[in-house]
């Protein structure tokens, strides 16, 4: 199951996001769950301590002297390299800062343009579609170097290895080889 973590200092926004996301999860039968709905960064970090490939909906401007959404995103990215970051904020002109921090945010939702919950639910659909597509892609590969060329061969395509007459050389036989 994939954990979803919300961080926004506005209770009404957190409630709206949580309700919309939980409804979408239930309606679409996603293998996801809203694990945490936090008002502050430290609360979210404590809840996401062992998270792997979590989904994080973060407000940019938090009422916290030490944390803003971008700094929180940096810390989450450090802890959960494959986590998915979505920013929800009133500041439409700050989207460029996600690039400044190299956060690789999945989406940037502006409050007030439409109900934040509806936008977040649509975003969750897109995240789910991407995760399904990634699941179909080969994950386990054998990496080999031939001269200057590096190849990544999916393990499922490898039939067998054969020793070669030259030392430190092997033949790789795959489903697509002749």
């Amino acid at each position: 199951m994939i954990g979803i973590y919300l961080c926004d200092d506005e209770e009404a926004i957190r409630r709206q996001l949580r309700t919309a996301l939980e409804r979408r999860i239930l309606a679409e039968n996603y293998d996801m769950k809203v694990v945490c709905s936090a008002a502050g960064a430290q609360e979210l970090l404590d809840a996401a301590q062992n998270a792997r490939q979590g989904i994080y909906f973060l407000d940019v401007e938090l009422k916290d002297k030490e944390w803003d959404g971008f700094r929180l995103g940096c810390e989450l990215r450090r802890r959960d390299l494959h986590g998915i970051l979505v920013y929800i904020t009133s500041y439409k002109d700050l989207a460029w800062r996600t690039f400044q921090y190299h956060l690789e945010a999945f989406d940037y939702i502006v409050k007030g343009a439409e109900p934040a919950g509806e936008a977040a639910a649509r975003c969750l659909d897109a995240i789910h579609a991407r995760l399904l597509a990634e699941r179909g892609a080969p994950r386990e590969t054998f990496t080999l170097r031939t001269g200057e060329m590096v190849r990544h061969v999916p393990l499922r395509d490898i039939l067998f290895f054969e020793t070669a007459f030259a030392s430190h050389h092997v033949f790789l036989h795959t489903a697509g080889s002749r």
Side-chain angles (χ1 to χ4, degrees):
M1 178 179 350
I2 298 172
I4 298 175
Y5 302 83
L6 312 174
C7 188
D8 197 306
D9 47 23
E10 294 179 50
E11 174 66 31
I13 296 293
R14 280 197 322 273
R15 196 173 28 244
Q16 182 184 15
L17 290 172
R18 183 176 198 130
T19 300
L21 292 171
E22 286 176 342
R23 284 182 181 159
R24 185 60 53 101
I25 290 166
L26 185 63
E28 299 296 332
N29 197 27
Y30 291 156
D31 188 22
M32 301 174 180
K33 179 181 180 181
V34 178
V35 176
C36 175
S37 179
Q42 195 57 55
E43 182 183 353
L44 181 113
L45 289 170
D46 291 344
Q49 190 170 347
N50 297 315
R52 295 293 170 257
Q53 198 172 9
I55 301 171
Y56 306 93
F57 288 87
L58 309 174
D59 187 8
V60 169
E61 193 68 31
L62 298 171
K63 294 175 186 161
D64 189 319
K65 293 177 185 174
E66 294 181 38
W67 294 94
D68 67 4
F70 297 120
R71 182 163 178 246
L72 177 57
C74 288
E75 180 61 20
L76 289 168
R77 180 66 68 220
R78 187 185 68 74
R79 293 180 180 196
D80 184 359
L81 185 62
H82 300 288
I84 298 171
L85 303 177
V86 177
Y87 284 96
I88 299 177
T89 184
S90 301
Y91 302 100
K92 64 180 175 186
D93 54 341
L94 292 181
W96 64 272
R97 289 191 64 195
T98 62
F99 296 105
Q100 180 183 12
Y101 285 95
H102 306 285
L103 291 171
E104 299 177 29
F106 186 85
D107 204 350
Y108 194 90
I109 299 169
V110 179
K111 297 175 189 174
E114 65 178 307
E118 290 177 25
R122 270 198 322 282
C123 183
L124 195 63
D125 291 337
I127 291 169
H128 184 261
R130 176 183 276 179
L131 292 174
L132 285 179
E134 287 176 357
R135 206 175 283 156
R139 291 178 182 219
E140 296 180 346
T141 60
F142 177 77
T143 303
L144 62 108
R145 180 184 307 269
T146 307
E148 294 295 316
M149 186 177 72
V150 176
R151 289 187 53 200
H152 304 284
V153 180
L155 290 181
R156 68 174 185 232
D157 292 347
I158 297 175
L159 298 175
F160 62 95
F161 293 90
E162 179 182 7
T163 57
F165 292 110
S167 63
H168 304 289
H169 288 79
V170 295
F171 293 114
L172 171 63
H173 296 270
T174 65
S177 64
R178 298 178 244 162

